[in-house]
Short mmCIF file of all heavy atoms in Angstrom, two decimals:
data_model
loop_
_atom_site.label_atom_id
_atom_site.label_comp_id
_atom_site.label_asym_id
_atom_site.label_seq_id
_atom_site.Cartn_x
_atom_site.Cartn_y
_atom_site.Cartn_z
N VAL A 95 12.31 -40.21 -51.75
CA VAL A 95 12.76 -41.55 -52.16
C VAL A 95 13.70 -41.36 -53.34
O VAL A 95 13.32 -40.78 -54.36
CB VAL A 95 11.58 -42.44 -52.59
CG1 VAL A 95 12.09 -43.83 -53.00
CG2 VAL A 95 10.54 -42.55 -51.50
N TYR A 96 14.92 -41.86 -53.21
CA TYR A 96 15.90 -41.76 -54.30
C TYR A 96 16.18 -43.18 -54.81
O TYR A 96 16.52 -44.07 -54.02
CB TYR A 96 17.19 -41.14 -53.76
CG TYR A 96 18.32 -41.11 -54.77
CD1 TYR A 96 18.29 -40.25 -55.85
CD2 TYR A 96 19.43 -41.94 -54.62
CE1 TYR A 96 19.34 -40.22 -56.77
CE2 TYR A 96 20.48 -41.91 -55.53
CZ TYR A 96 20.43 -41.05 -56.61
OH TYR A 96 21.46 -41.02 -57.52
N ILE A 97 16.02 -43.36 -56.12
CA ILE A 97 16.27 -44.70 -56.68
C ILE A 97 17.73 -44.78 -57.13
O ILE A 97 18.18 -43.98 -57.96
CB ILE A 97 15.33 -45.00 -57.87
CG1 ILE A 97 13.87 -44.71 -57.52
CG2 ILE A 97 15.52 -46.45 -58.33
CD1 ILE A 97 13.30 -45.52 -56.36
N SER A 98 18.44 -45.73 -56.56
CA SER A 98 19.85 -45.89 -56.89
C SER A 98 20.11 -47.28 -57.48
O SER A 98 19.16 -48.00 -57.82
CB SER A 98 20.72 -45.60 -55.66
OG SER A 98 22.07 -45.51 -56.07
N THR A 99 21.35 -47.63 -57.56
CA THR A 99 21.74 -48.76 -58.43
C THR A 99 22.78 -49.68 -57.80
O THR A 99 23.58 -49.24 -56.96
CB THR A 99 22.29 -48.18 -59.76
OG1 THR A 99 22.89 -49.23 -60.52
CG2 THR A 99 23.37 -47.13 -59.53
N ASP A 100 22.78 -50.92 -58.28
CA ASP A 100 23.84 -51.88 -57.92
C ASP A 100 25.22 -51.41 -58.43
O ASP A 100 26.25 -51.86 -57.94
CB ASP A 100 23.52 -53.26 -58.51
CG ASP A 100 23.23 -53.23 -60.01
OD1 ASP A 100 22.71 -52.21 -60.51
OD2 ASP A 100 23.55 -54.22 -60.70
N TYR A 101 25.22 -50.50 -59.44
CA TYR A 101 26.50 -50.07 -60.00
C TYR A 101 27.28 -49.14 -59.06
O TYR A 101 28.34 -48.66 -59.42
CB TYR A 101 26.30 -49.42 -61.37
CG TYR A 101 26.04 -50.43 -62.48
CD1 TYR A 101 25.77 -51.76 -62.20
CD2 TYR A 101 26.07 -50.06 -63.82
CE1 TYR A 101 25.52 -52.68 -63.20
CE2 TYR A 101 25.84 -50.98 -64.84
CZ TYR A 101 25.56 -52.29 -64.52
OH TYR A 101 25.33 -53.20 -65.52
N VAL A 102 26.76 -48.90 -57.85
CA VAL A 102 27.59 -48.20 -56.85
C VAL A 102 28.63 -49.16 -56.27
O VAL A 102 29.56 -48.71 -55.59
CB VAL A 102 26.76 -47.58 -55.69
CG1 VAL A 102 25.79 -46.55 -56.22
CG2 VAL A 102 26.04 -48.63 -54.85
N PHE A 103 28.49 -50.47 -56.53
CA PHE A 103 29.45 -51.45 -56.00
C PHE A 103 30.46 -51.87 -57.08
O PHE A 103 30.17 -51.77 -58.28
CB PHE A 103 28.71 -52.68 -55.47
CG PHE A 103 27.85 -52.37 -54.26
CD1 PHE A 103 26.46 -52.47 -54.33
CD2 PHE A 103 28.42 -51.96 -53.06
CE1 PHE A 103 25.68 -52.17 -53.22
CE2 PHE A 103 27.65 -51.66 -51.95
CZ PHE A 103 26.27 -51.76 -52.03
N ASP A 104 31.62 -52.38 -56.61
CA ASP A 104 32.66 -52.75 -57.58
C ASP A 104 32.60 -54.21 -58.04
O ASP A 104 33.35 -54.62 -58.93
CB ASP A 104 34.06 -52.42 -57.04
CG ASP A 104 34.39 -53.16 -55.75
OD1 ASP A 104 33.73 -54.16 -55.43
OD2 ASP A 104 35.33 -52.72 -55.05
N GLY A 105 31.72 -55.01 -57.41
CA GLY A 105 31.54 -56.39 -57.87
C GLY A 105 32.60 -57.36 -57.39
O GLY A 105 32.66 -58.50 -57.87
N LYS A 106 33.41 -56.94 -56.42
CA LYS A 106 34.47 -57.86 -55.97
C LYS A 106 33.95 -58.92 -54.99
O LYS A 106 34.63 -59.91 -54.74
CB LYS A 106 35.61 -57.06 -55.32
CG LYS A 106 36.37 -56.25 -56.35
CD LYS A 106 37.67 -55.71 -55.83
CE LYS A 106 38.39 -54.94 -56.95
NZ LYS A 106 39.00 -53.71 -56.48
N LYS A 107 32.78 -58.70 -54.43
CA LYS A 107 32.22 -59.68 -53.50
C LYS A 107 31.75 -60.92 -54.25
O LYS A 107 31.50 -60.87 -55.46
CB LYS A 107 31.02 -59.07 -52.76
CG LYS A 107 31.36 -58.43 -51.43
CD LYS A 107 30.11 -58.06 -50.64
CE LYS A 107 29.66 -59.17 -49.74
NZ LYS A 107 28.49 -58.77 -48.89
N THR A 108 31.59 -62.00 -53.52
CA THR A 108 31.06 -63.22 -54.15
C THR A 108 29.74 -63.64 -53.50
O THR A 108 29.20 -64.69 -53.80
CB THR A 108 32.09 -64.36 -54.05
OG1 THR A 108 32.52 -64.45 -52.69
CG2 THR A 108 33.28 -64.12 -54.95
N SER A 109 29.27 -62.82 -52.57
CA SER A 109 27.94 -63.07 -51.98
C SER A 109 27.18 -61.75 -52.03
O SER A 109 27.78 -60.68 -52.16
CB SER A 109 28.09 -63.56 -50.53
OG SER A 109 28.78 -62.58 -49.78
N PRO A 110 25.83 -61.81 -51.93
CA PRO A 110 25.04 -60.59 -52.16
C PRO A 110 25.43 -59.41 -51.27
O PRO A 110 25.71 -59.55 -50.09
CB PRO A 110 23.62 -61.07 -51.87
CG PRO A 110 23.64 -62.52 -52.22
CD PRO A 110 24.99 -63.02 -51.78
N TYR A 111 25.44 -58.24 -51.89
CA TYR A 111 25.75 -56.99 -51.18
C TYR A 111 24.59 -56.59 -50.28
O TYR A 111 23.43 -56.55 -50.73
CB TYR A 111 25.98 -55.85 -52.19
CG TYR A 111 27.32 -55.91 -52.88
CD1 TYR A 111 27.48 -56.60 -54.07
CD2 TYR A 111 28.43 -55.27 -52.33
CE1 TYR A 111 28.71 -56.66 -54.71
CE2 TYR A 111 29.67 -55.31 -52.96
CZ TYR A 111 29.81 -56.01 -54.14
OH TYR A 111 31.03 -56.06 -54.78
N THR A 112 24.90 -56.28 -49.02
CA THR A 112 23.86 -55.74 -48.14
C THR A 112 23.99 -54.21 -48.12
O THR A 112 24.94 -53.64 -48.65
CB THR A 112 23.98 -56.24 -46.69
OG1 THR A 112 25.08 -55.57 -46.06
CG2 THR A 112 24.15 -57.75 -46.61
N GLU A 113 23.03 -53.60 -47.44
CA GLU A 113 23.00 -52.14 -47.31
C GLU A 113 24.21 -51.64 -46.52
O GLU A 113 24.51 -50.45 -46.54
CB GLU A 113 21.73 -51.70 -46.57
CG GLU A 113 20.42 -51.95 -47.34
CD GLU A 113 19.85 -53.35 -47.20
OE1 GLU A 113 20.54 -54.26 -46.68
OE2 GLU A 113 18.69 -53.56 -47.62
N TYR A 114 24.91 -52.55 -45.84
CA TYR A 114 26.04 -52.14 -45.00
C TYR A 114 27.38 -52.30 -45.70
O TYR A 114 28.42 -51.99 -45.13
CB TYR A 114 26.01 -52.95 -43.68
CG TYR A 114 24.66 -52.80 -42.99
CD1 TYR A 114 23.72 -53.82 -42.99
CD2 TYR A 114 24.31 -51.59 -42.38
CE1 TYR A 114 22.47 -53.65 -42.40
CE2 TYR A 114 23.06 -51.42 -41.79
CZ TYR A 114 22.15 -52.45 -41.81
OH TYR A 114 20.92 -52.27 -41.24
N ASP A 115 27.37 -52.79 -46.93
CA ASP A 115 28.63 -52.89 -47.69
C ASP A 115 29.03 -51.52 -48.24
O ASP A 115 28.19 -50.67 -48.52
CB ASP A 115 28.48 -53.90 -48.83
CG ASP A 115 28.56 -55.34 -48.31
OD1 ASP A 115 29.52 -55.64 -47.58
OD2 ASP A 115 27.65 -56.14 -48.63
N GLU A 116 30.33 -51.38 -48.40
CA GLU A 116 30.90 -50.09 -48.82
C GLU A 116 30.81 -49.95 -50.34
O GLU A 116 31.32 -50.80 -51.08
CB GLU A 116 32.38 -50.09 -48.40
CG GLU A 116 32.99 -48.73 -48.16
CD GLU A 116 32.20 -47.86 -47.19
OE1 GLU A 116 31.90 -48.30 -46.06
OE2 GLU A 116 31.89 -46.73 -47.61
N PRO A 117 30.20 -48.88 -50.86
CA PRO A 117 30.19 -48.67 -52.32
C PRO A 117 31.59 -48.35 -52.85
O PRO A 117 32.43 -47.80 -52.11
CB PRO A 117 29.28 -47.45 -52.50
CG PRO A 117 28.51 -47.32 -51.25
CD PRO A 117 29.40 -47.87 -50.15
N ASN A 118 31.81 -48.68 -54.08
CA ASN A 118 33.07 -48.34 -54.75
C ASN A 118 32.83 -48.44 -56.26
O ASN A 118 33.22 -49.40 -56.90
CB ASN A 118 34.19 -49.31 -54.32
CG ASN A 118 35.52 -48.95 -54.96
OD1 ASN A 118 35.79 -47.79 -55.23
ND2 ASN A 118 36.34 -49.96 -55.23
N PRO A 119 32.13 -47.44 -56.82
CA PRO A 119 31.69 -47.56 -58.22
C PRO A 119 32.84 -47.60 -59.22
O PRO A 119 33.87 -46.97 -59.01
CB PRO A 119 30.82 -46.31 -58.43
CG PRO A 119 31.13 -45.39 -57.31
CD PRO A 119 31.68 -46.19 -56.19
N LEU A 120 32.59 -48.34 -60.33
CA LEU A 120 33.62 -48.50 -61.36
C LEU A 120 33.40 -47.54 -62.53
O LEU A 120 34.31 -47.33 -63.32
CB LEU A 120 33.57 -49.93 -61.92
CG LEU A 120 33.74 -51.08 -60.93
CD1 LEU A 120 33.52 -52.41 -61.66
CD2 LEU A 120 35.14 -51.04 -60.31
N SER A 121 32.19 -47.02 -62.66
CA SER A 121 31.83 -46.25 -63.86
C SER A 121 31.39 -44.83 -63.48
O SER A 121 31.06 -44.56 -62.32
CB SER A 121 30.67 -46.94 -64.57
OG SER A 121 29.54 -46.99 -63.71
N VAL A 122 31.36 -43.96 -64.49
CA VAL A 122 30.86 -42.59 -64.27
C VAL A 122 29.40 -42.66 -63.81
O VAL A 122 28.99 -41.95 -62.88
CB VAL A 122 30.99 -41.75 -65.56
CG1 VAL A 122 30.28 -40.42 -65.41
CG2 VAL A 122 32.46 -41.55 -65.91
#
Side-chain angles (χ1 to χ4, degrees):
V95 181
Y96 174 72
I97 310 299
S98 191
T99 170
D100 52 329
Y101 284 11
V102 299
F103 294 114
D104 61 17
K106 290 193 178 139
K107 267 190 90 176
T108 50
S109 59
Y111 284 91
T112 74
E113 293 84 348
Y114 305 105
D115 283 310
E116 206 53 53
N118 182 31
L120 303 174
S121 61
V122 171

